[in-house]
Amino acid sequence: MERAKAKKAVERLRDEINRHDYFYFVLNKPVISDQEYDRLYRKLVDLEEAFPELISDDSPTRRISGKPLSGFRPVKHSTKMLSLDNTYSEEEVREFDARVQKLLGREAAYEVSLKVDGVAVALRYREGRLVAGVTRGDGTTGDDVTPNIKTIRAVPLSLITDDLEFMNLEVRAEVFLRRRNFEIINQQKEKAGEPVFANPRNAAAGTLRLLDPKEVARRNLDIFVHTVPAFSGSGYDSHFQLLKRLGQCGLRIIPHIRLCPTIDQVMDEIDRWRARRNELEFDVDGLVIKVDDMGLRLRLGSTIKSPRWAIAYKYPPAQAVTKLVEIQLQVGRTGRITPVAVLAPVLLSGSTISRATLHNEDEIRRKDIRPGDDVVIEKGGEVIPKVIRVLDPGSSRRGPPFCFPRVCPVCREKIYRRSEEADWKCLNSSCPAQIKALVLHFVSRPAMDIAGMGYSLVEQLVDKGMVKSFDELYRLRPEGLAELDRMGQKSAGKIIKSIQASRNRDFAAVLFALGIPGIGIRASHVLAEYFGDIDTIINAEVEEISAIKGIGMVLAENIRNYFNTAMNIRLINSLKKAGLKFSTIAETSQKGAFPGMVFLFTGGLTNLDRTQAQELVRKQGGTVSSSVSKAVDIVVAGSNPGAKYDRAVDLGLKIISEDQFIDMLKKSLKKSLRGSETSEAISELFIK
């Protein structure tokens, strides 16, 4: 196919796929089968592969693309993202209406919408295309999470409109997780021996801040648009009507909005949703009540923290009474022992609850919680609810107080509690519970991503003594695995293949897999980018580590304590021998003009294109890094170099211009090549 025809076909396919995305993900009314949709999508992929110059950022194929992010760029909001005043009192809602009437000298109609329990973001469209997705941050500046926002299928990459009034705008939205997706995520985390998320909101917030968009896509975030902070078009005094129009442009508008001409109708909405909200597929903790007229909003203005034209009414947390059957103790991968209340199953806020967190020994004593008690539990957004209080603490039929044991419930070794801490810990590094949790963390998807290593298999490996620490996974043999329950030669072979493939995981993933207390995947990326390799981290002082943005003193001490432990160093050396990556820099050649040197390019180049310059470095024995770290020898800075340049200056790295890079290359080539070869090599520099 010639390029002109391919261009028209690509544009037609993109429009068609965007239209079907709108029907499926926004309207929930698909008009073609999944197979037909996949056929269209595959056809677009094939055309873009054949004509890569036709690929654009707003193509449906670009939702999940590129390498994991090294961090988030701060972005200033065009209009400050204010928070809302909250109230649990219907009387205070009427007082809010009275204040509005007093300031305006008249009654106002209200737009009433669900208060979805999620994460606030701003979406920016320029010329109809999504250009940025930014978190609330401090209200003035947020983080650019555009690659993660693009993974949300309900977010149109291009608006479905030719109306110039709607081509350039910013909207505010709530990113959230439906309950069924939240439960799937927590089930996966439980199987991997990782701490579960407390509620869908925490899960959505944590997901939005993952550095790998592919992992974000797997979690199926969702979104509702609820506010247009400023609109320069004409004919839309009513925000309610403006939202309805934006819904026709492809944006998923928050459902069940109602326009209420009087405050009495607002109160009716509060009553209507009191019980009905539990029937929804997502968490709603209240209603948002906003003056509908956008001109009146401007007249009312705002305080430093919140607008005067809006308020959030929150429903009181749901409670239930049930019997506490027993108190169980769980041992995590750090040795922390957590008490959990096993409850007689009870229905609460649309789900059956059978377990509740008791936090620690002090919490049990303070509330005097005992097995056999009738207790009040509360689900204020928690997936594992809290035990609020004992229903009848003065009853003579109560059992004896719960005594926290002084030995580990799994290995029976003595447990310890520091005077300044609330938790008891098992310090036995050979405790089977800790080993299982550590191995499950190590093989989890964000870490080494070893498929097939679920809890059942890990439990067998540890109980049978085949794995005493996670480095021993790399010594497993298929014949040994095949003898385990529910295994066979084929399954064992797949798992061994997955273990071998994990050797290709990057340094940040390996660092996260080690299970250093408090160090999540984001901190692992920060450390990997800053230090470049494991040995530099091992030798770093607490002061240097704590000074890194996003780390701080507590995590720095955790890191230092981890690497001060001889057993952990032996573990790392064993993993090095197994072939895992403990550096952001690949092995380099010792031949050429730049033997063993590491370069980083940032900003625009004039005489060379970026790909050409990077290839020249590699041909001359050097390596190109995509992230700034101490492992980088030379930074080549072109025009508008951005944040990487600032980080390089902070680290004191050597920074040169494009011309200096070319001169350096010429001099190096003259030293290493004969005259004719030198001229030929230099002439290649400027072939674009």
Side-chain angles (χ1 to χ4, degrees), residues 326-440:
E326 65 172 316
I327 295 175
Q328 292 182 348
L329 301 175
Q330 296 180 342
V331 183
R333 63 183 170 87
T334 62
R336 178 188 175 194
I337 299 173
T338 305
V340 175
V342 178
L343 307 167
V346 62
L347 189 65
L348 180 62
S349 296
S351 59
T352 301
I353 306 301
S354 60
R355 297 170 74 83
T357 180
L358 294 175
H359 299 292
N360 52 55
E361 181 186 28
D362 292 344
E363 185 78 353
I364 294 173
R365 284 183 176 176
R366 184 176 68 82
K367 295 178 179 176
D368 190 19
I369 298 169
R370 308 180 189 185
D373 282 343
D374 288 328
V375 294
V376 178
I377 62 171
E378 182 175 283
K379 192 178 180 183
E382 301 291 335
V383 64
I384 301 179
K386 306 171 186 176
V387 174
I388 301 301
R389 59 185 173 86
V390 175
L391 188 63
D392 187 8
S395 173
S396 59
R397 293 175 294 178
R398 297 183 72 200
F402 177 77
C403 293
F404 212 95
R406 294 301 181 260
V407 296
C408 174
V410 177
C411 69
R412 312 309 296 174
E413 290 290 332
K414 187 178 180 181
I415 60 176
Y416 300 87
R417 175 182 173 180
R418 295 172 61 179
S419 58
E420 68 273 19
E421 293 182 350
D423 298 318
W424 286 89
K425 288 187 177 180
C426 172
L427 302 184
N428 175 18
S429 58
S430 299
C431 175
Q434 291 184 63
I435 294 172
K436 291 172 187 176
L438 283 166
V439 173
L440 285 166

Side-chain angles (χ1 to χ4, degrees), residues 617-638:
V617 167
R618 295 187 185 100
K619 283 182 178 179
Q620 297 304 318
T623 297
V624 178
S625 174
S626 61
S627 59
V628 186
S629 73
K630 288 187 172 183
V632 174
D633 295 300
I634 294 176
V635 176
V636 181

